[in-house]
Amino acid sequence: MSEQSNNTGFATNAIHFAYDAQQEQGALNPPLHLSSTYTFESAEHGADLFAGNAQGHFYSRISNPTLDILEKRIACLEGAQSGLSFASGMGAISATMWTLLQSGDEVLADITLYGCTYAFMQHGLSKFGVSVKFVDMTDTDALASAITPRTKLVYFETPANPNMRIVDIQTVCSLARDAGAISIVDNTYATPYLTQPIALGADLVIHSATKYLGGHGDLVAGLLVGSTDLVNQVRVEGLKDMTGACMSPFTAMLIMRGLKTLELRMQRHSQSAQTVAQYLTDHSAVKHVYYPGLVEHPQHELAKKQMRLFGGMIAFELNGGLESGKALMNELKMIQRAVSLGDAESLIQHPASMTHAAYTPEQRAAHGISDTLVRFSVGLESVADILNDFDQAFSACHEPSTGSLMAKDKAVIRNQTLDQLRSVRHLTDCV
Ligand SMILES: *Cc1c(COP(=O)(O)O)cnc(C)c1O
């Protein structure tokens, strides 16, 4: 399995690709190469390595044999030529942008972005003379008219964090290509098991491996894949000289352990999310559910086209105001209140009372975050227990002591038996 094969399946590649146990004394798992530096055979060998005339490792900020396996594996899973690892998703994003941009350039980014990516573009890049225009990339006419000869990069997430908008990868990347711009897709929410943007025309794909790729909430890491030319450029400029945000071999080992179950986990996350999304849709406490697997999602057809399954992330809006979100957060028992996503544990967060509590309601509105928006990362627990936790929390929110939450009919909720909920159409029926 050390050679790339187009004939092996996703899960097989996620488990075996780029590693041959027989080369490592039969060790089933790749060894951890905990070496900061690498010895040269001779002075001439050292010179050749530094000049790029010989292949090999010389310092672990630039490359490392353990990271090498992970980088080849993620490139294989994404259908890309090369991969590169970083200390965090933001490390990957900043190293890539700093490599590809210079003062006077312009970036076009989608209006919905992960908060720190938005901050990096809005406040970080502007300090260095790079301008960033935010456009609604679900509106390809708006995008086409926003691209100018100065546009160097086109950047988006799909599904977008946190409102689950879907961007048409093929259309946007071909517009970028025609304009001579490099397209970058943040594939954190979908993972390569659900979507492979490179095959749809993307130049580079970025991951916060902290999320589904690691999958167990025990690491922070980033990955980049794309053409060998572009990835090498980011390695020797953005990573080596600008950010130095290299991944530790120990983290690479944990990500490779996570990748072994990525297919299984994404299937279960997606299946449970479909059930939970349906439950929330039918619940009178809930005003709106954003999940691409629901036929009501305005881009359901596009999601079906570019996603194998619909993933484990749901956003929803409650009836009531900010207090209704707070009350729900505080009544949940098994579901954990936390940022991040893609873990075995179900994680919930209410931006208006938690991550964005310091914003004014006007500022939140400008960022598309309503006071009742809730983001839910559906975990791998028994789905009945996830539904039960929502049920008991919604019921508790009814009590006058927790405020005038949702004007809903208790009897309706009681009649929604878990049996009915379990019989909702599963994901496999709609892809
Ligand atoms: C978390 C996240 C990031 C940032 O990654 P870190 O590993 O936290 O640095 C980038 N994009 C998306 C979509 C994310 O969810």
Side-chain angles (χ1 to χ4, degrees):
M1 284 306 302
S2 55
E3 292 307 311
Q4 175 144 14
S5 163
N6 293 325
N7 300 324
T8 42
F10 184 92
T12 308
N13 291 329
I15 294 168
H16 291 284
F17 190 74
Y19 180 65
D20 180 356
Q22 289 313 313
Q23 306 288 319
E24 297 288 355
Q25 304 184 59
L28 184 64
N29 279 297
L32 283 184
H33 287 270
L34 298 177
S35 194
S36 33
T37 195
Y38 302 84
T39 57
F40 308 133
E41 290 162 19
S42 61
E44 293 75 12
H45 178 226
D48 283 346
L49 277 174
F50 268 84
N53 296 330
Q55 290 281 310
H57 304 285
F58 51 90
Y59 191 63
S60 275
R61 173 160 27 82
I62 299 139
S63 70
N64 167 288
T66 308
L67 268 51
D68 206 35
I69 302 168
L70 170 64
E71 289 166 356
K72 291 195 167 104
R73 211 166 267 180
I74 187 66
C76 169
L77 297 180
E78 287 280 6
Q81 282 181 334
S82 287
L84 186 55
S85 43
F86 300 86
S88 69
M90 288 314 300
I93 291 166
S94 54
T96 303
M97 299 245 180
W98 273 326
T99 302
L100 301 176
L101 292 168
Q102 61 184 37
S103 168
D105 285 343
E106 189 175 277
V107 176
L108 270 191
D110 185 42
I111 47 170
T112 305
L113 293 174
Y114 173 72
C116 302
T117 307
Y118 173 77
F120 174 73
M121 291 194 188
Q122 178 76 349
H123 310 300
L125 287 178
S126 62
K127 285 207 258 184
F128 300 94
V130 173
S131 62
V132 184
K133 264 202 261 177
F134 297 95
V135 283
D136 179 353
M137 292 198 186
T138 64
D139 178 351
T140 40
D141 291 342
L143 175 67
S145 54
I147 292 187
T148 76
R150 281 172 59 212
T151 308
K152 199 68 191 292
L153 297 181
V154 170
Y155 188 101
F156 61 95
E157 304 170 0
T158 181
N161 184 357
N163 55 14
M164 304 303 290
R165 287 160 67 257
I166 308 291
V167 175
D168 185 333
I169 299 172
Q170 203 156 22
T171 303
V172 172
C173 292
S174 96
L175 277 173
R177 182 148 306 191
D178 292 348
I182 294 172
S183 55
I184 307 181
V185 180
D186 181 332
N187 201 27
T188 300
Y189 264 43
T191 81
Y193 182 61
L194 305 191
T195 304
Q196 291 168 314
I198 297 283
L200 298 172
D203 292 310
L204 291 169
V205 173
I206 277 181
H207 279 283
S208 169
T210 312
K211 317 292 169 55
Y212 288 106
L213 302 185
H216 295 75
D218 49 12
L219 60 91
V220 174
L223 290 164
L224 170 75
V225 302
S227 70
T228 301
D229 270 1
L230 282 176
V231 169
N232 273 349
Q233 208 186 327
V234 177
R235 187 190 294 276
V236 301
E237 294 178 34
L239 177 63
K240 175 167 105 30
D241 300 337
M242 290 175 167
T243 65
C246 59
M247 185 188 287
S248 125
F250 188 76
T251 302
M253 184 274 280
L254 288 175
I255 297 172
M256 286 193 272
R257 180 153 81 175
L259 287 179
K260 291 182 188 189
T261 55
L262 182 64
E263 175 170 316
L264 284 174
R265 287 185 288 109
M266 292 315 291
Q267 288 173 348
R268 176 64 173 268
H269 280 300
S270 301
Q271 193 181 49
S272 293
Q274 185 78 26
T275 307
V276 173
Q278 195 65 55
Y279 162 85
L280 292 169
T281 303
D282 295 342
H283 204 290
S284 55
V286 176
K287 189 159 72 189
H288 198 83
V289 180
Y290 306 95
Y291 183 67
L294 295 173
V295 285
E296 302 84 51
H297 189 288
Q299 294 158 301
H300 178 63
E301 290 305 315
L302 171 61
K304 274 208 294 204
K305 214 177 89 189
Q306 67 182 32
M307 301 178 79
R308 194 199 299 250
L309 302 168
F310 301 113
M313 294 302 297
I314 299 175
F316 58 98
E317 279 176 75
L318 297 165
N319 287 315
L322 188 138
E323 289 303 315
S324 65
K326 240 184 184 168
L328 175 65
M329 291 302 107
N330 291 338
E331 292 297 346
L332 288 164
K333 292 192 165 82
M334 185 269 288
I335 296 166
Q336 304 288 309
R337 290 169 291 271
V339 296
S340 200
L341 56 108
D343 295 340
E345 295 80 2
S346 284
L347 304 179
I348 200 158
Q349 99 103 340
H350 174 227
S353 72
M354 295 161 65
T355 49
H356 294 67
Y359 287 45
T360 64
E362 294 72 32
Q363 285 172 328
R364 283 198 293 268
H367 287 264
I369 295 167
S370 81
D371 280 356
T372 62
L373 182 76
V374 174
R375 189 184 78 173
F376 186 47
S377 170
V378 183
L380 300 174
E381 302 95 343
S382 310
V383 70
D385 292 323
I386 299 174
L387 302 179
N388 274 330
D389 200 18
F390 274 117
D391 250 2
Q392 69 76 26
F394 281 133
S395 300
C397 289
H398 251 323
E399 303 310 320
S401 60
T402 53
S404 59
L405 180 54
M406 308 104 184
K408 65 188 187 273
D409 184 352
K410 261 189 173 173
V412 173
I413 298 166
R414 273 198 220 97
N415 289 340
Q416 270 178 330
T417 66
L418 291 177
D419 276 353
Q420 279 175 309
L421 293 166
R422 277 192 213 100
S423 71
V424 298
R425 162 179 51 87
H426 274 296
L427 208 50
T428 39
D429 301 332
C430 29
V431 287

